[in-house]
């Protein structure tokens, strides 16, 4: 199984709502990632979890709250979002990078398309 | 983190080879070069990676210059399904960081 599964595929939420995005992998990967992607732009790294601990937070606003409850699951809790937060949210997983960044590939989910109204 | 530079776009004729350049002049000695692609509305997909030697798999070939300051991804016989944005990336072991640059938007034309 080389899949990263993201749910839901589409989400529409109001600015006062609280919602969660979910990501699951069963490849035994110990690194998991959240990315945000706006139209015609590259994916923008938000968070990295290594061994279920937050290792990178790219100065993401606190209205985005990640959680890694176990080695297979990654959540992104959303609260009080703004319309400009509408984007494709991608989850990925990989083995931990060896020194130099090799020798492992990352697997990406198909994303959750989020619309904030 | 070492940065990469890629042309923003290129066209390629179906059936011909597509050569995608990437400049990474600040690469350090132990950093790998990775290539991913993203087909419209899908998640990125791993293509190939290398350290020093040229590499080939069923999808593509990767040519890395001897000084490792640049590389070229070769799609040997481009098909319409190869239309995508191609990203050249240098992952960082510090924090397990995988950062995307601008990429090259490749359009394969019939």
């Amino acid at each position: 199984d080389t899949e990263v599964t993201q749910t839901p595929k589409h989400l529409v939420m109001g600015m006062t709502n609280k919602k969660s995005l979910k990501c699951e992998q069963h490849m035994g990967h110990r690194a998991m990632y959240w990315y945000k992607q706006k139209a015609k732009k590259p994916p923008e790294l938000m968070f990295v979890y290594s061994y279920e601990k937050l290792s990178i937070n790219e100065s993401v606003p606190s209205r985005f709250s990640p959680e890694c409850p176990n080695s297979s699951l990654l959540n992104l809790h959303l609260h009080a979002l703004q319309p400009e937060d509408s984007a494709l949210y991608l989850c990925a997983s990989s083995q931990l990078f060896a020194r130099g960044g090799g020798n492992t590939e990352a697997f990406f989910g198909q994303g959750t398309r989020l619309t904030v109204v | 983190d070492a940065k990469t530079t890629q042309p923003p776009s290129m066209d390629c004729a179906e059936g011909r080879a597509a050569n995608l350049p990437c400049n990474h002049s600040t690469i350090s000695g132990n950093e790998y070069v990775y290539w991913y692609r993203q087909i419209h509305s899908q998640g990125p997909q791993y293509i190939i990676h290398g350290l020093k030697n040229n590499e080939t798999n069923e999808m593509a070939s990767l040519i890395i210059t001897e000084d490792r300051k640049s590389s070229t991804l070769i799609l040997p016989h481009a098909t319409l399904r190869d239309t995508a944005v191609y990203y050249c990336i240098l992952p960082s072991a510090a924090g397990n960081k995988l950062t995307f640059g601008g990429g090259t938007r490749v359009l394969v034309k019939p």
Side-chain angles (χ1 to χ4, degrees):
Chain A
D1 181 5
T2 57
E3 269 195 26
V4 174
T5 304
Q6 289 188 243
T7 55
K9 289 187 168 38
H10 300 273
L11 177 63
V12 179
M13 63 183 290
M15 288 188 283
T16 58
N17 290 160
K18 285 185 182 180
K19 295 286 185 184
S20 296
L21 308 185
K22 296 187 182 303
C23 175
E24 190 167 3
Q25 57 89 13
H26 296 287
M27 293 175 277
H29 290 165
R30 302 312 295 270
M32 296 187 78
Y33 312 78
W34 280 116
Y35 290 85
K36 174 183 176 180
Q37 186 173 29
K38 302 283 274 186
K40 298 197 182 302
K41 297 289 187 184
E44 183 182 334
L45 184 64
M46 300 174 72
F47 302 104
V48 181
Y49 272 82
S50 305
Y51 285 114
E52 295 91 70
K53 297 259 188 300
L54 185 64
S55 57
I56 293 179
N57 175 342
E58 293 285 61
S59 303
V60 178
S62 60
R63 57 186 184 269
F64 295 92
S65 175
E67 178 198 20
C68 191
N70 61 54
S71 59
S72 298
L73 293 175
L74 185 66
N75 298 321
L76 186 63
H77 302 298
L78 314 172
H79 174 52
L81 294 194
Q82 303 297 311
E84 58 265 29
D85 296 321
S86 298
L88 180 68
Y89 288 83
L90 292 161
C91 173
S93 71
S94 74
Q95 298 290 2
L96 291 167
F97 294 157
R99 184 168 156 268
N103 190 12
T104 182
E105 63 182 277
F107 292 79
F108 286 79
Q110 294 304 295
T112 293
R113 189 160 299 281
L114 174 68
T115 302
V116 182
V117 297
Chain B
D1 298 336
K3 293 196 181 299
T4 61
T5 304
Q6 299 177 252
S9 64
M10 65 185 297
D11 293 347
C12 176
E14 188 180 17
R16 304 293 295 269
N19 296 306
L20 283 61
C22 179
N23 182 290
H24 33 78
S25 57
T26 60
I27 192 171
S28 63
N30 58 3
E31 284 184 309
Y32 283 75
V33 180
Y34 275 71
W35 284 81
Y36 286 79
R37 75 179 183 184
Q38 187 174 23
I39 295 169
H40 182 61
S41 295
Q42 297 183 20
Q45 174 193 23
Y46 164 82
I47 302 173
I48 198 166
H49 72 278
L51 182 62
K52 294 179 184 177
N53 300 321
N54 298 337
E55 302 287 345
T56 295
N57 63 20
E58 65 278 3
M59 290 182 70
S61 295
L62 175 61
I63 308 297
I64 302 174
T65 58
E66 195 169 338
D67 63 8
R68 301 203 336 114
K69 293 186 176 182
S70 65
S71 60
T72 301
L73 179 75
I74 301 173
L75 308 177
H77 305 287
T79 70
L80 300 179
R81 287 176 295 181
D82 291 323
T83 291
V85 180
Y86 288 77
Y87 297 99
C88 169
I89 299 173
L90 308 181
S92 170
N96 232 68
K97 202 167 180 179
L98 187 65
T99 305
F100 288 78
T104 296
R105 191 171 294 274
V106 173
L107 176 61
V108 180
K109 296 181 173 179

